[in-house]
Every structure is written in structure tokens, then in C-alpha cells.
């Protein structure tokens, strides 16, 4: 719910803010947050991927900390979980 939304929005703002790059952020922390929020909502990686128009392999990569969502997808993630 709304309790989780500020965390995702904060991450999105950090990624988009001048002077910050995706590399500055802790990928594992972001991945853990995505995984936790997805599981709390009873969603599979495939269901989340379908909503965001990415592959389930991409979602898996994010959750493992092997990559980060595009900043525009961070806003979509927030909207998905609001």
C-alpha cells in the first residue's frame, strides 16, 4: 500500500536526480525491495514482468542485484504497488 510507495519513489528520485547515477545505488538493496514488494502482493516475476512489459528474466536480474530497472520503470513499479 501507501506505506511501501515512498521507498520506491525515493529510489526513483535518487536515480533520476542530478549527480546520482544508477551505479551509485546499492543494487542488492533495490533488488531486495522489488522482490519483497512483489511477494507481499502475491505476484510472480512473470506477472510483474507482464505489467511492466519486460521479461521475467529481467525482473529476476533486478531482484538478484545484477541490474537495475530503467528510471522510468521505477515510476511504473511505484504505480503498480500503490
Amino acid at each position: 500500500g501507501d506505506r511501501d510507495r515512498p521507498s520506491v519513489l525515493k529510489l526513483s528520485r535518487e536515480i533520476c536526480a542530478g549527480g546520482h547515477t544508477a551505479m551509485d545505488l546499492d543494487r542488492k538493496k533495490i533488488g531486495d525491495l522489488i522482490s519483497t514488494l512483489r511477494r507481499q502482493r502475491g505476484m510472480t516475476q512473470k506477472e510483474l514482468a507482464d505489467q511492466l512489459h519486460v521479461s521475467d528474466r529481467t525482473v529476476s536480474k533486478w531482484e538478484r542485484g545484477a541490474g537495475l530497472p530503467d528510471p522510468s520503470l521505477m515510476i511504473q513499479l511505484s504505480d503498480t504497488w500503490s
Side-chain angles (χ1 to χ4, degrees), residues 54-71:
V54 299
S55 72
D56 54 335
R57 293 181 78 172
T58 297
V59 173
S60 174
K61 193 165 102 172
W62 298 340
E63 291 184 359
R64 289 182 283 114
L68 290 170
D70 184 84

Side-chain angles (χ1 to χ4, degrees), residues 11 21-34 61-69:
L11 290 173
T21 66
M23 298 305 291
D24 293 328
L25 301 175
D26 182 349
R27 290 175 189 228
K28 182 67 175 149
K29 183 176 179 181
I30 293 169
D32 288 346
L33 177 62
I34 292 169
K61 193 165 102 172
W62 298 340
E63 291 184 359
R64 289 182 283 114
L68 290 170

Side-chain angles (χ1 to χ4, degrees), residues 17-47:
H20 288 280
T21 66
M23 298 305 291
D24 293 328
L25 301 175
D26 182 349
R27 290 175 189 228
K28 182 67 175 149
K29 183 176 179 181
I30 293 169
D32 288 346
L33 177 62
I34 292 169
S35 177
T36 297
L37 293 174
R38 176 183 60 78
R39 290 170 195 253
Q40 283 177 352
R41 280 142 185 90
M43 297 177 76
T44 65
Q45 288 180 341
K46 176 79 170 124
E47 289 169 335

